[in-house]
Amino acid sequence: MTDFIASNAGLTDPLGTGAITPEFPEGFLWGTATASHQVEGGNVGNDVWLYEHVTPTMYKESSGDACDHWNRYREDIELLASLGLNSYRFSLEWSRIEPAEGEFSAVAIEHYRDVLRACHEHGLTPIVTYHHFTSPQWLIARGGWEDEGTPELFARFATKVTEELGELFDIACTMNEPNLAILLAELGLAETDPADRVKNPTWVGAGEALGIPAEKVAGFQLTATEKSFEIKVAAHKDAVAAIKAVKPSMKVGWTLANSDFHAAPGGEGRTAAMVEKNNLRYLRVAEGDDFVGIQVYNRTVLGADGPVKPAEDATVNPQGEEIWPWAVGAVVRQAWDTVKVPIIVTENGLNTEDDSQRVEFLRRATTEVGRCVADGIPVQGYMCWSAMDNFEWIFGYGPKFGIIAVDRETQERTPKESAHVLGEIARTNGAVLR
Ligand code: BGC
């Protein structure tokens, strides 16, 4: 198992791409990304809050107050800008903006207006994600991401938000990682058949709370059915049209969880199928969009029966997951070869408690992005996941993706070394990498 593929031992570049010097164009966007539910706290009206609170639940803990970004966004934005970054990607919480079907909250809209103002005051170009995994509970109760009515409701939300806030930003992501569930299903974490949901007590509990059968609990993140593929594609297309109808100059795209798939001997067929199912067909939907967001963390090595463990001499994070900073280059190149639209790396990062690993990762990953640019691929930005340690969905607060640490008792923020390194890369526009 150790010699089927290049090992990353000691993080020496197994791809031998060292010859090309990274380059970044003037105005390249350097930033971090967050998502509403993972940092804001108290998002009690969305489906994930419900899943966290049913008994038993697959969620390790409740999101609770998260990072209290709902109240602390101004200091967070100031801190990110002080590091040298020039962009910030964040998401709108649909369940706050439309807490009941058709009922919009002026207070929530005003909140996001001030988040956008704070970005501009501190020189951060905002990238706004309209949907990052969480949906209002009322949407799930009426069929969620397997219901034919959802694209229209999402488009109505997109129209409202763009009318209210659109003059304050120019880059919009309709939805985050519509394909993540496909990857999670391959790893055994999501259902491809709605009938299987009855076996998961979280969906059973959520169904009871919402008054629908467990088979009908179709949240965004863990729903890997073909029906949800169709609904998400339709919702993206309808939202693009809705946003453009209000603001034709808005740059609009969707963001994809595209892994760097490698085949172990015997896994060639499985790998080719996953490349098509998880990456290429979603990339093709971006045809005609203003950009596609690429989000990648690692490579996925597949054997005949599924994912294969890292080689014994592999460099891994404290959880034993292989560190593969070269994935971003491979996936950006694949995206460009598949659909010729500009690319923004809307998420890339590393889960580790050892920040020196993240420093090394960021240097290598951003170098890979710069090499893509040097090769003529129009990459326009790099957003590190994540601004701060946050609520990592079913894993709770365990994983550490942040460049800023957050004290869970006091909410005190402390930038890590990686925050300064990313800031330096941003301030020098990558010159420090050459
Ligand atoms: C998601 C984030 C998540 C991150 C790290 C991405 O799939 O967009 O919400 O926290 O990966 O797990």
Side-chain angles (χ1 to χ4, degrees):
M1 200 187 278
T2 49
D3 59 355
F4 64 84
I5 198 159
S7 157
N8 65 347
L11 284 189
T12 47
D13 189 339
L15 306 181
T17 45
I20 315 157
T21 309
E23 262 176 43
F24 295 92
E26 194 72 11
F28 191 83
L29 297 172
W30 291 104
T32 58
T34 61
S36 54
H37 191 70
Q38 296 179 267
V39 291
E40 286 178 349
N43 280 333
V44 300
N46 72 36
D47 60 333
V48 174
W49 182 273
L50 173 64
Y51 310 147
E52 290 162 23
H53 289 85
V54 296
T55 312
T57 173
M58 69 201 284
Y59 282 74
K60 199 167 155 260
E61 55 194 318
S62 155
S63 52
D65 290 334
C67 302
D68 193 26
H69 189 60
W70 182 262
N71 295 304
R72 294 169 197 254
Y73 60 94
R74 280 196 158 266
E75 66 179 79
D76 290 336
I77 286 168
E78 189 177 347
L79 179 55
L80 291 168
S82 76
L83 296 170
L85 304 174
N86 64 17
S87 184
Y88 177 46
R89 173 177 176 243
F90 65 93
S91 79
L92 307 171
E93 178 58 39
W94 186 358
S95 66
R96 293 239 196 202
I97 293 178
E98 191 177 355
E101 188 175 337
E103 193 180 313
F104 292 92
S105 160
V107 169
I109 290 170
E110 188 53 33
H111 166 86
Y112 289 112
R113 188 172 287 124
D114 199 51
V115 175
L116 287 160
R117 280 198 200 110
C119 287
H120 291 297
E121 283 165 28
H122 292 284
L124 297 186
T125 298
I127 300 179
V128 178
T129 305
Y130 284 48
H131 185 279
H132 192 128
F133 294 159
T134 49
S135 308
Q137 285 165 19
W138 58 258
L139 188 88
I140 304 302
R142 59 189 307 301
W145 293 95
E146 285 169 352
D147 187 82
E148 306 281 345
T150 291
E152 197 183 325
L153 292 168
F154 184 52
R156 179 177 66 178
F157 165 70
T159 299
K160 177 73 177 171
V161 163
T162 315
E163 282 170 353
E164 294 279 354
L165 305 172
E167 61 182 16
L168 289 170
F169 60 96
D170 299 316
I171 307 175
C173 309
T174 55
M175 59 180 68
N176 183 74
E177 299 190 346
N179 56 341
L180 176 67
I182 308 287
L183 190 59
L184 293 180
E186 182 69 9
L187 305 174
L189 288 168
E191 290 89 18
T192 50
D193 181 351
D196 288 338
R197 291 193 192 124
V198 294
K199 297 181 203 150
N200 183 331
T202 308
W203 309 141
V204 174
E208 275 164 17
L210 295 169
I212 57 174
E215 299 94 295
K216 296 264 181 214
V217 179
F220 190 91
Q221 200 177 356
L222 298 168
T223 298
T225 58
E226 283 306 302
K227 183 76 189 169
S228 76
F229 171 71
E230 287 161 26
I231 298 297
K232 288 169 185 172
V233 171
H236 168 64
K237 296 219 173 269
D238 288 1
V240 173
I243 295 168
K244 295 270 189 187
V246 179
K247 179 169 173 171
S249 65
M250 187 83 85
K251 303 268 179 255
V252 194
W254 69 352
T255 74
L256 302 176
N258 286 0
S259 188
D260 178 13
F261 291 103
H262 292 236
E268 293 80 4
R270 196 174 183 117
T271 303
M274 271 306 276
V275 168
E276 170 58 29
K277 204 168 139 194
N278 191 82
N279 293 10
L280 303 186
R281 66 175 173 158
Y282 287 88
L283 285 167
R284 288 194 287 265
V285 174
E287 179 91 53
D289 286 352
D290 298 304
F291 70 93
V292 63
I294 291 302
Q295 316 201 152
V296 52
Y297 288 82
N298 224 329
R299 66 171 175 171
T300 306
V301 183
L302 297 174
D305 304 322
V308 170
K309 288 208 181 74
E312 265 162 30
D313 63 347
T315 302
V316 296
N317 68 3
Q319 285 70 40
E321 297 155 350
E322 186 187 43
I323 301 175
W324 193 262
W326 306 283
V328 67
V331 171
V332 163
R333 286 171 204 279
Q334 181 187 62
W336 178 243
D337 289 345
T338 307
V339 56
K340 293 275 185 287
V341 296
I343 292 165
I344 302 176
V345 177
T346 37
E347 284 182 28
N348 179 238
L350 183 68
N351 166 26
T352 183
E353 279 165 28
D354 175 356
D355 193 52
S356 67
Q357 291 188 326
R358 186 171 7 258
V359 166
E360 194 59 29
F361 178 94
L362 288 175
R363 288 207 175 103
R364 290 183 183 278
T366 52
T367 298
E368 286 306 305
V369 174
R371 286 172 177 160
C372 292
V373 175
D375 281 351
I377 302 176
V379 189
Q380 301 179 335
Y382 177 89
M383 302 296 125
C384 171
W385 185 272
S386 185
M388 58 195 115
D389 291 336
N390 61 31
F391 180 71
E392 272 295 328
W393 310 111
I394 57 174
F395 306 109
Y397 291 98
K400 302 278 183 268
F401 281 92
I403 59 168
I404 298 170
V406 177
D407 186 305
R408 298 252 25 95
E409 299 294 314
T410 64
Q411 294 284 0
E412 194 190 338
R413 274 62 166 153
T414 310
K416 305 176 189 176
E417 174 63 15
S418 53
H420 299 295
V421 168
L422 186 64
E424 192 191 6
I425 295 171
R427 278 196 309 276
T428 64
N429 203 27
V432 75
L433 298 167
R434 291 196 272 275

